[in-house]
């Protein structure tokens, strides 16, 4: 990108930030500062060039953002990859923003600067942050109330795996549903990031029974974290009823569609059903309007008088909407602080599936689409891509790619930098 | 009623109970026992002869029930009268039972006997009890797990005012909605039994704001129990938004109909709407099928995806269904014990509107229909009816009454034994 492409406003803010760094850090020789300006103004990012398949993703350079008043600038170390990022890629969300855009809603890193009149962090603080897009980058700026200092012994990888999944699990279990001693919980995608967070948080409360559904190949790896585990391809309703004829206290549903009716039907009196995702709407690699519309209408609307007669609670939880549309930063802070206490007491620990370079985002996304992960996928900003295999077609070319959507390319899985 | 009318089973059980009393109490001369059998076999009850208007209610005598295994027999001192009793009278409930029936779901009194192999109470214990109909009688039998010993300094009147209203308010606020420091609550019919219980329970949590709606003539009497009070005849939505533009955390709705949509719309993110009644369905003195059906369909069905996008919780709470259809005795016991603690700490105290003799049940019901009450209406089993006024037409004649439904007869209000 040529310097003339850079927005004027960005350039102005870069100067401000340099000024702040100068004020706050040990002084460096002036000539070094000047020399580094050229590099500092650009950063690597993942860009989504348009809604669609994996081919819409590439790594490119963009002007580095500078913090506005009330914002924190963070040098990113690791980013979380979530199922919702697939839905964004497909444009399969309410009011999608314009493309091109930089995806990503959460990251960990180091505070590098603060906006004018903004306090609360020191340069060098290790933090996690929620970002309204733009997280998959070397540098992000985000409002102060969406940034949280992490415990000293939490790695950046763990931290990036922590925020969305554990906050979602915590708020659903303890703020929406009021989990208590002796209750039972059903969670789908038990091997995923939220599923594993739910399992760990349930273990912090005495005598909680956790029912989970997951692909059979994950069962061995996650069976110790749940009380009862079912194959996600079978009907879980009769299986749960066999074990607990009276039903369960809490159903956490990220699938939507027909699972809403099933979930409500499985509730005990005073039980709570929470819809927190709609991953059954993501069927192919690109958005299918028909499958989207079908899923929406498949969801049975519920008459509140039915809930009254059956003593049931039906809820929805969207952390992103809470954070970015509904001003829920304060409510989330409360959850984050409680979660850090649990982490410090060694009661919870994020489970990381695998680390990926920014340049490997397509393979990472394919893995989450195929539900191959156990725990969280992380984009490690400082990681170099694993060398390509012979038949791998991934590239970060700036050229337009007009290929049609294709089914999951299993060859891509050759490049899978698992961690255990 | 002639002795031959009495079911054989009733007669047999009377003997068993006498045997139990004999075992458990100080022995009395045998001839006195024999002499009292004639009286003991019958009791005064309120009977609903068919669904409809006030003319379907009368006081009559019935064979006294005897406790089955697992049941407790209670000599009733006072009974609670609730809005749901009006709905029962009109047959305006799901799966109404057959008439004639004895209405009433709660009472206070003294344990008089226990069924075979039933322990947990002593003869003479002062208790409250939930009863699946049949509470408006001199004696009731009900399962052990629906009976609770009351604190020593709680009067029978207070006790009868306590159970349904405070348990409903407590379970909604603390088990369904998770009321915490700093939250806000909107409650309709703020002057009624549940409304006043909600206000008192909210005052046990720091910094809770309570918005209430009530008829203007009640405002002076209840204004100290709420933070903000609105006329029930105006639209409360703009009034609440003027004070709290972001909405409220908890909406408790006993009105149903269009208030469901309004209530959901007023919720803050993570807020909870609870439907716990449908009193707007009771419009005239007798059931109007048209108004009933209209109310049901007026209730907008809710798509769970909408709750997901808005981070909202929609719940229903029916204490009667929980107790009598869903085996929720254990959950209710937990709430009752916590409420008794609050009572002993003098943090809550049931507010009694007025006491009525069984023979005055029509006037009492008219008063609740007209929303004239502030707090709870109690049927005091030992009370004699207040002498009739000249133009009062109420009677307890056993003769058929074929009068058509009529609008609230304000003259009836002449006989109103208020207590302050």
């Amino acid at each position: 990108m040529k310097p003339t492409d850079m927005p004027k406003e960005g350039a102005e803010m870069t100067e401000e930030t340099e000024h702040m760094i100068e004020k706050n850090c040990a002084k460096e020789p002036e000539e070094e500062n000047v020399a580094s300006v050229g590099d500092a103004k650009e950063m690597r990012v993942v860009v989504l060039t348009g809604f669609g398949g994996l081919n819409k993703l590439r790594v490119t350079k963009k002007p580095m953002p500078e913090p506005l008043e009330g914002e924190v600038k963070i040098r990113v170390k690791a980013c979380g990859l979530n199922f919702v990022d697939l839905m964004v890629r497909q444009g399969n969300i309410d009011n999608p923003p314009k493309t091109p855009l930089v995806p990503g809603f959460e990251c960990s890193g180091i505070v590098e600067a603060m906006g004018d009149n903004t306090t609360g962090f020191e340069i060098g603080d290790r933090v996690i942050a929620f970002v309204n897009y733009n997280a998959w980058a070397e540098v992000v700026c985000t409002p102060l109330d969406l940034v949280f200092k992490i415990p000293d012994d939490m790695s950046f990888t763990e931290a990036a795996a922590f925020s969305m999944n554990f906050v979602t699990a915590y708020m659903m279990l303890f703020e929406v549903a009021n989990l208590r001693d002796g209750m039972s919980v059903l969670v789908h995608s038990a091997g995923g990031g939220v599923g594993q967070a739910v399992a760990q948080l349930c273990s912090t409360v005495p005598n909680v029974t956790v029912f989970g559904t997951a692909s059979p190949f994950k069962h061995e790896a996650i069976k110790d974290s749940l009380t009862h585990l079912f194959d996600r391809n079978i009907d879980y309703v009769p299986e749960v009823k066999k074990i607990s004829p009276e039903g369960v206290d809490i159903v956490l549903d990220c699938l939507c569609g027909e699972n809403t009716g099933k979930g409500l039907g499985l509730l005990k009196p005073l039980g709570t059903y929470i819809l927190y995702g709609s991953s059954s709407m993501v069927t192919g690699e690109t958005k299918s309007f028909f499958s989207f519309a079908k899923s929406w209408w498949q969801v049975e609307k519920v008459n509140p008088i039915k809930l009254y007669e059956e003593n049931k609670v039906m809820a929805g939880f969207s952390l992103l909407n809470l954070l970015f549309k509904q001003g829920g930063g304060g409510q989330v802070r409360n959850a984050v602080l409680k979660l850090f206490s649990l982490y410090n007491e060694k009661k919870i620990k994020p489970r990381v599936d695998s680390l990926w370079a920014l340049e490997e985002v397509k393979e990472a996304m394919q893995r989450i689409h195929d539900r191959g992960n156990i725990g969280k996928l992380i984009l490690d900003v400082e990681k170099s891509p694993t060398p390509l295999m012979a038949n791998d077609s991934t590239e970060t070319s700036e050229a337009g790619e007009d290929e049609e959507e294709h089914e999951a390319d299993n060859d891509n899985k050759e490049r899978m930098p698992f961690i255990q």
Side-chain angles (χ1 to χ4, degrees), chain A:
Chain A
M1 180 177 283
K2 286 170 287 181
T4 49
D5 290 341
M6 193 183 303
K8 192 160 172 265
E9 154 184 281
E12 276 169 11
M13 283 187 297
T14 307
E15 280 168 23
E16 280 171 18
T17 312
E18 278 159 11
H19 180 61
M20 286 197 64
I21 293 176
E22 220 172 299
K23 273 196 305 189
N24 287 292
C25 294
K27 274 213 171 190
E28 306 217 17
E30 217 167 29
E31 53 270 42
E32 200 173 313
N33 250 355
V34 171
S36 66
V37 165
D39 291 340
K41 285 179 181 167
E42 289 207 332
M43 62 172 183
R44 279 160 65 238
V45 300
V46 175
V47 162
L48 181 70
T49 57
F51 299 116
L54 293 171
N55 60 322
K56 303 293 188 188
L57 290 163
R58 63 204 50 175
V59 173
T60 184
K61 292 209 167 186
K62 268 193 66 168
M64 191 172 289
E66 295 303 330
L68 303 175
E69 185 165 337
E71 284 190 345
V72 181
K73 179 182 178 184
I74 297 163
R75 175 66 57 172
V76 178
K77 296 290 183 178
C79 315
L81 200 158
N82 295 291
F83 203 94
V84 71
D85 297 312
L86 274 72
M87 300 181 71
V88 168
R89 198 197 71 216
Q90 299 186 354
N92 201 347
I93 52 170
D94 198 31
N95 291 319
K98 287 210 172 69
T99 54
L101 61 82
V102 176
F105 297 107
E106 60 177 344
C107 64
S108 62
I110 293 172
V111 172
E112 195 166 277
M114 311 270 289
D116 287 344
N117 307 312
T118 306
T119 55
F121 291 95
E122 303 288 327
I123 310 301
D125 278 349
R126 303 170 71 246
V127 295
I128 51 172
F130 294 104
V131 201
N132 194 9
Y133 296 97
N134 297 309
W136 296 354
E138 288 179 316
V139 171
V140 303
C141 292
T142 198
L144 194 67
D145 66 336
L146 304 181
V147 184
F148 309 90
K149 278 183 220 175
I150 59 176
D152 290 342
D153 56 351
M154 182 181 265
S155 72
F156 287 118
T157 303
E158 277 185 330
F162 187 84
S163 5
M164 289 222 0
N165 291 354
F166 273 87
V167 171
T168 296
Y170 181 90
M171 294 189 86
M172 289 196 297
L173 291 173
F174 296 105
E175 306 211 342
V176 179
N178 203 358
L179 176 69
R180 280 159 295 170
D181 191 346
M183 283 187 167
S184 53
V185 178
L186 168 67
V187 62
H188 298 297
S189 302
V194 173
Q196 286 292 293
V198 164
Q200 288 187 23
L201 286 171
C202 284
S203 75
T204 68
V205 177
N207 310 309
V208 170
T209 302
V210 188
F211 297 87
T213 69
S215 303
F217 81 91
K218 298 187 187 182
H219 285 203
E220 186 57 30
I222 65 171
K223 67 178 174 11
D224 292 342
S225 62
L226 297 109
T227 325
H228 305 285
L229 192 50
F230 309 121
D231 181 349
R232 69 181 288 268
N233 303 306
I234 63 163
D235 183 3
Y236 52 88
V237 173
E239 301 299 316
V240 171
K241 289 219 163 149
K242 241 184 268 171
I243 296 163
S244 178
E246 73 279 20
V248 297
D249 293 295
I250 301 171
V251 172
L252 304 176
D253 178 15
C254 58
L255 304 174
C256 201
E258 60 168 11
N259 295 286
T260 300
K262 284 184 176 184
L264 281 170
L266 267 179
L267 290 182
K268 285 184 191 174
L270 301 189
T272 303
Y273 164 88
I274 309 178
L275 179 68
Y276 71 98
S278 45
S279 64
S280 67
M281 290 189 193
V282 176
T283 48
E285 191 190 310
T286 55
K287 174 180 176 176
S288 151
F289 179 76
F290 180 73
S291 78
F292 177 80
K294 188 165 157 248
S295 288
W296 176 278
W297 291 113
Q298 244 180 14
V299 180
E300 197 196 349
K301 289 199 201 174
V302 177
N303 190 323
I305 296 178
K306 183 182 153 76
L307 299 177
Y308 163 75
E309 285 171 352
E310 298 183 355
N311 276 306
K312 288 181 175 174
V313 182
M314 181 171 85
F317 184 76
S318 161
L319 181 57
L320 295 181
N321 284 0
L322 183 65
L323 285 167
F324 303 125
K325 291 186 185 171
Q326 296 156 3
Q331 287 163 297
V332 169
R333 175 167 298 274
N334 183 38
V336 170
L337 297 180
K338 288 190 179 152
L339 285 164
F340 284 162
S341 296
L342 290 171
Y343 179 85
N344 287 331
E345 295 165 24
K346 300 201 187 307
K347 289 184 175 164
I348 57 173
K349 188 176 175 65
R351 185 163 187 164
V352 176
D353 175 74
S354 46
L355 299 181
W356 308 77
L358 291 185
E359 290 75 8
E360 296 166 332
V361 65
K362 294 183 194 184
E363 294 94 322
M365 234 182 213
Q366 186 64 52
R367 179 164 171 80
I368 207 168
H369 174 272
D370 295 342
R371 298 170 189 274
N373 60 305
I374 295 172
K376 185 85 168 195
L377 284 91
I378 299 292
L379 297 178
D380 180 345
V381 176
E382 294 173 350
K383 183 177 182 293
S384 303
T386 307
L388 294 182
M389 304 299 282
N391 56 355
D392 191 295
S393 63
T394 307
E395 52 198 24
T396 58
S397 152
E398 298 270 340
E401 293 175 36
D402 294 320
E403 68 203 71
E404 286 305 302
E405 73 172 285
H406 53 80
E407 277 309 293
D409 180 358
N410 285 316
D411 293 340
N412 274 355
K413 288 186 195 156
E414 295 290 311
R415 195 172 76 176
M416 282 269 183
F418 291 171
I419 64 166
Q420 61 278 26

